[in-house]
Amino acid sequence: MLQALLEPLQYEFMQRSLVIAVLVGLICAVVGSYLMVQRLALLGDAISHSVLPGLAIAFMVGANIFVGAFIAGVLSTMAIAWIRARSPIKEDAAMGIVFSAFFALGVTLITLIQKDNKIDLNHFLFGNILGVTQQEVLDTALISAFVLLVVVLLYKELLFYTFDPLGAQAAGLPVNLLNFGLMVLIALTIVASMKTVGVILVLALLITPGATAYLLVQRLHNVMWLGAGIGVVASVSGMYLSYFYNVPSGPAIVLVVSGLFLLALLFSPTQGVFTYPAAQRGEPLLWRELKGLLRGSG
């Protein structure tokens, strides 16, 4: 067993891939916890699809594709906010409109690029973690460090805003700035995850680890810690499955994390379908942390 675990580590590409898998599994779970609590999973999907035209344009002009993808992700969130503020269109409809338009533009640009260049950009759709370079590992590490630092520094503010935006505004918090900051963190996380699972599957890593942890623990910081652990385990396990069974790495990672969610859904000691009667579940557990925070600040 130990020999089987160590065998992939003799290859440099597997070493780089495992480092990327750990980093992405960590930050996706942490940032995705906020999306899950806010019930904004569609926003993560919208931003992930919206980065495609940015990376295509960056490739065309010879710029860093990560920077191009990040700019496109931020522009998509601004477009969603503008549509919501200037029209009667609801937020979920605005998300659907924006991410469909951005995604279509990205696919079109990628198709045009491939006519003149013998390069495959389609791996950004489904991930190509085995092809990461040393520079991409460094870029992902820097993004991960920045995202985690912001979450640590603004944990209480983001917690308050996530659960009760109106209450946070009444308390004097800069809710617009917090909202924009959260969108930036999501965009950075998606950019960091592009080579791992691709823009199509990144939503699974953003939402599923946190959702799994939500079924097992009570407080948001515990959801983040456990979700990060689940994300890392799923990412590494998916990499080993990809290596030994010759299956695509991105889908393998998503299948593992989805399997862990199913186990928690069925057998969680406090929320499981088979282990905890629905009539006894009562108040959502994460609301208790917000109440404790409000009592402490009062």
Side-chain angles (χ1 to χ4, degrees):
M1 177 65 72
L2 180 60
Q3 184 178 359
L5 292 175
L6 294 178
E7 178 183 335
L9 299 179
Q10 63 183 311
Y11 303 105
E12 289 189 7
F13 74 91
M14 278 299 295
Q15 295 172 10
R16 295 193 296 269
S17 300
L18 287 171
V19 171
I20 288 280
V22 170
L23 292 173
V24 168
L26 179 64
I27 62 172
C28 279
V30 171
V31 174
S33 297
Y34 290 113
L35 281 179
M36 183 198 64
V37 172
Q38 278 192 304
R39 300 179 182 178
L40 288 176
L42 181 60
L43 179 60
D45 197 29
I47 297 176
S48 66
H49 285 72
S50 300
V51 302
L52 272 184
L55 69 88
I57 293 173
F59 178 82
M60 293 171 65
V61 301
N64 188 312
I65 58 175
F66 286 98
V67 175
F70 171 71
I71 292 174
V74 172
L75 287 177
S76 70
T77 63
M78 295 173 64
I80 292 170
W82 185 81
I83 292 174
R84 183 182 61 180
R86 296 301 181 94
S87 74
I89 302 298
K90 300 297 183 182
E91 187 173 34
D92 57 344
M95 291 179 192
I97 293 169
V98 170
F99 93 68
S100 298
F102 273 63
F103 186 69
L105 176 61
V107 172
T108 301
L109 291 175
I110 288 175
T111 303
L112 293 176
I113 291 172
Q114 290 174 334
K115 290 181 179 179
D116 301 321
N117 298 272
K118 293 182 178 179
I119 184 171
D120 183 16
L121 294 181
N122 288 328
H123 58 263
F124 288 106
L125 296 176
F126 305 104
N128 183 29
I129 192 172
L130 298 180
V132 296
T133 64
Q134 193 68 37
Q135 183 60 47
E136 289 171 337
V137 173
L138 179 60
D139 291 341
T140 304
L142 292 175
I143 292 173
S144 301
F146 176 77
V147 169
L148 294 176
L149 178 62
V150 172
V151 170
V152 170
L153 293 177
L154 299 178
Y155 173 77
K156 288 186 177 181
E157 290 79 3
L158 287 173
L159 172 66
F160 196 177
Y161 167 73
T162 298
F163 278 101
D164 188 6
L166 294 178
Q169 186 175 16
L173 292 179
V175 292
N176 291 331
L177 187 59
L178 288 174
N179 179 68
F180 181 74
L182 185 57
M183 299 307 105
V184 169
L185 293 183
I186 296 168
L188 284 172
T189 301
I190 289 169
V191 168
S193 308
M194 285 192 306
K195 290 296 291 287
T196 307
V197 292
V199 299
I200 301 295
L201 300 175
V202 68
L203 184 65
L205 272 186
L206 274 172
I207 301 300
T208 312
T212 305
Y214 179 73
L215 296 172
L216 300 172
V217 295
Q218 298 185 4
R219 296 182 176 275
L220 183 61
H221 68 276
N222 290 332
V223 169
M224 288 182 174
W225 280 109
L226 181 58
I230 292 170
V232 169
V233 169
S235 298
V236 173
S237 300
M239 288 301 305
Y240 274 92
L241 288 175
S242 175
Y243 177 84
F244 285 112
Y245 295 100
N246 195 29
V247 296
S249 54
I253 292 171
V254 171
L255 287 175
V256 172
V257 76
S258 299
L260 294 175
F261 171 77
L262 181 61
L263 289 175
L265 177 66
L266 297 178
F267 302 109
S268 167
T270 58
Q271 303 289 324
V273 173
F274 294 151
T275 57
Y276 197 75
Q280 299 179 17
R281 290 176 189 166
E283 179 184 54
L285 295 174
L286 286 180
W287 280 103
R288 300 176 189 174
E289 182 171 14
L290 177 62
K291 290 180 177 179
L293 178 64
L294 292 176
R295 284 195 296 267
S297 63

